[in-house]
Amino acid sequence: MAAACETGCPWGELGDFVKESMKPYGYSVILCRNCNRTYGPRLVSEHDYPPPLDEMNLADGVNVRVDAPVDFGVTSSAMLSSAYSGKLAGKGPYPNLRLIAKIEDPFYFLVAVKKESGIKDFASIKQQKIPVRIMGADTNLMTILKYYDITAEDIKSWGGKIGVSVPEA
């Protein structure tokens, strides 16, 4: 089962719940802890093997890679919808994905800035043309930027970057 890390990752905790819930019925669910982020939907869709462990997995405490194809997984409804329609990190579409259970999940963005940056909100980024680095440039984030009348081209013209990885941030 494509899940996520054991501690602090909601999809990992849901994976734990499924694993424990299926035991009384004779099922042994093996959780793939590094089949998260944008990997999960593709791995499930293609019945593929998990990717190699990367630095982000190791930082999350994931140090075991399962060597078996992924049968099913847990992800957010937004990521599932994006994967199904071909809007997930420029990959897909994966039209053979199916939703078998829906648990209401919050969809939120975490925004972190250094105190000394002076950034109070997205409006201040635009007003001051602050060269920010933004991770997770999906369609939902672009909707938020559009609300503030900020484009990816604006971010770049101010000396910032969009869609950066953790080491770049």
Side-chain angles (χ1 to χ4, degrees):
M1 175 181 183
C5 68
E6 291 183 69
T7 52
C9 299
W11 315 128
E13 292 171 9
L14 285 169
D16 291 336
F17 174 79
V18 169
K19 180 178 180 172
E20 292 305 312
S21 298
M22 297 306 290
K23 271 184 188 175
Y25 300 101
Y27 291 97
S28 176
V29 177
I30 300 168
L31 299 177
C32 175
R33 300 291 188 178
N34 72 314
C35 293
N36 54 0
R37 302 189 306 260
T38 59
Y39 295 122
R42 182 194 64 77
L43 294 170
V44 171
S45 175
E46 297 176 352
H47 195 237
D48 201 1
Y49 286 77
L53 295 175
D54 61 21
E55 291 299 318
M56 194 177 289
N57 298 135
L58 297 172
D60 286 340
V62 177
N63 56 16
V64 174
R65 178 187 174 271
V66 175
D67 189 25
V70 179
D71 295 317
F72 65 107
V74 59
T75 191
S76 71
S77 54
M79 192 168 294
L80 177 64
S81 176
S82 294
Y84 185 86
S85 63
K87 297 177 183 169
L88 180 64
K91 298 182 174 114
Y94 302 108
N96 62 332
L97 290 171
R98 297 294 178 264
L99 175 68
I100 58 171
K102 168 74 167 118
I103 299 170
E104 283 302 321
D105 56 318
F107 195 78
Y108 53 89
F109 285 93
L110 300 176
V111 178
V113 297
K114 293 179 182 176
K115 184 177 181 179
E116 61 270 12
S117 73
I119 297 172
K120 302 287 184 207
D121 55 25
F122 281 95
S124 65
I125 294 171
K126 181 176 181 174
Q127 291 166 352
Q128 299 172 42
K129 299 182 179 178
I130 300 172
V132 295
R133 293 186 190 137
I134 298 177
M135 297 174 60
D138 64 3
T139 56
N140 297 301
L141 174 68
M142 299 313 288
T143 300
I144 292 171
L145 291 178
K146 184 177 179 180
Y147 176 84
Y148 289 94
D149 197 28
I150 300 172
T151 65
E153 292 74 30
D154 291 334
I155 300 286
K156 292 173 189 170
S157 73
W158 303 332
K161 290 177 89 176
I162 196 159
V164 299
S165 63
V166 172
E168 293 176 292

